[in-house]
Amino acid sequence: MKTNIRVDKVLDYIPIGSKVADIGCDHGYVLIKGVLEDIIIKGIGIEVAKGPYYQAKKNVKEYKLEDKIDIRFGNGLNPLLNDECDICVIGGMGGRLITSIINEDLDKLSLFKRLVLQPMNSESILRRFLLSNNWKIIDEEILIEDRLYLYIVAEKGNMKVNDDFLFEIGPVLAKKNNIGRDQYITEKLMKLEKIKKNLKKIKIEDKNNLKKIDFYIKKWSSYLEN
């Protein structure tokens, strides 16, 4: 089946023979392609929006995969039973919302072996939550398509960071040196420079805010230079 490269990237992080829960599964393409390529042996898609939910069910039926993929209507991890899946995929939403979803059911979350997450923003909040709840980040990657897409992969375990800024850039991403990471940093710097410029334009004399922005500009820039 024809899909976009974001679906392929998610499947890169799913071990062969996995049982996968896709929270916010949209049209179900991750699960469908995963089953067709013999990566996923069982898939459960959860969708809270009626349009995508019905479309996902239609797509599963079209590929005759009803015996391997179950699309359920509901919110977050609520529709899942314990021990149904070993991999949890959540993407296409903000990091704050992803954090809220997994924080609502920590008992179910603890049953997963791996989390494959794709936050659209607020990634530092998500990283802090993971590390404070005994999840270690094993990989982070930037995918360049119509925009930048960040992938965070976590497994159970302890992880410590010796610099609070690593929650911003990512403890794994910080060690990488590639085009995706550099573009990610460049976009962060552009946003900070824009905020700084706007503050000066409206003549807000907030030295603390400007000092904080300058600090982050310096920190992001230091990684770009490495």
Side-chain angles (χ1 to χ4, degrees):
M1 67 177 294
K2 186 178 180 181
T3 53
N4 60 44
I5 58 175
R6 277 171 279 148
V7 169
D8 296 333
K9 175 56 70 174
V10 171
L11 292 174
D12 285 344
Y13 290 118
I14 297 176
I16 293 173
S18 295
K19 294 179 287 184
V20 178
D22 188 356
I23 312 302
C25 68
D26 196 41
H27 293 171
Y29 291 132
V30 167
L31 298 178
I32 292 170
K33 187 169 186 179
V35 170
L36 291 176
E37 295 189 354
D38 295 321
I39 298 171
I40 298 172
I41 60 173
K42 175 185 177 182
I44 297 175
I46 309 297
E47 181 54 60
V48 72
K50 289 186 177 180
Y53 164 73
Y54 288 119
Q55 186 61 55
K57 289 184 74 71
K58 181 180 178 181
N59 291 340
V60 169
K61 186 176 182 180
E62 180 181 338
Y63 283 94
K64 298 179 173 61
L65 297 175
E66 298 97 322
D67 60 328
K68 292 187 177 180
I69 299 175
D70 184 11
I71 304 297
R72 300 175 186 174
F73 185 78
N75 190 29
L77 304 178
N78 291 333
L80 289 175
L81 301 177
N82 291 341
D83 288 331
E84 283 192 291
C85 299
D86 46 32
I87 307 290
C88 181
V89 174
I90 310 179
M93 59 188 82
R96 195 181 296 273
L97 179 55
I98 294 175
T99 301
S100 176
I101 287 172
I102 57 182
N103 187 42
E104 284 181 1
D105 207 331
L106 291 176
D107 289 339
K108 283 181 185 174
L109 184 71
S110 67
L111 299 174
F112 293 113
K113 295 178 181 177
R114 175 178 288 187
L115 309 177
V116 181
L117 310 172
Q118 189 258 302
M120 303 297 284
N121 53 51
S122 303
E123 51 268 36
S124 62
I125 292 172
L126 179 57
R127 291 186 182 110
R128 286 181 187 277
F129 174 84
L130 292 171
L131 268 62
S132 64
N133 284 274
N134 299 317
W135 289 88
K136 61 181 179 181
I137 298 172
I138 63 167
D139 199 15
E140 295 177 299
E141 191 61 71
I142 297 292
L143 177 66
I144 304 174
E145 198 182 15
D146 55 319
R147 54 160 286 171
L148 298 186
Y149 293 91
L150 168 66
Y151 292 81
I152 298 175
V153 185
E155 293 183 352
K156 294 174 186 176
N158 295 317
M159 185 179 200
K160 294 182 179 180
V161 298
N162 56 10
D163 184 349
D164 204 54
F165 183 75
L166 289 174
F167 289 112
E168 299 291 334
I169 188 173
V172 177
L173 198 61
K175 298 176 182 178
K176 294 189 174 183
N177 188 6
N178 55 38
I179 294 173
R181 187 203 73 154
D182 287 353
Q183 192 163 332
Y184 177 69
I185 293 172
T186 300
E187 286 200 3
K188 294 289 186 182
L189 285 169
M190 288 173 63
K191 289 178 182 177
L192 287 168
E193 292 287 1
K194 186 176 181 180
I195 293 170
K196 183 178 178 180
K197 184 178 180 180
N198 287 338
L199 284 175
K200 288 185 175 181
K201 186 184 293 185
I202 59 178
K203 297 180 180 179
I204 293 180
E205 294 296 330
D206 190 337
K207 292 183 180 179
N208 287 332
N209 264 342
L210 287 172
K211 189 175 180 181
K212 186 176 180 181
I213 290 170
D214 283 336
F215 168 80
Y216 278 108
I217 288 173
K218 186 176 180 180
K219 290 292 285 188
W220 283 108
S221 297
S222 69
Y223 281 93
L224 192 59
E225 292 163 3
N226 291 334

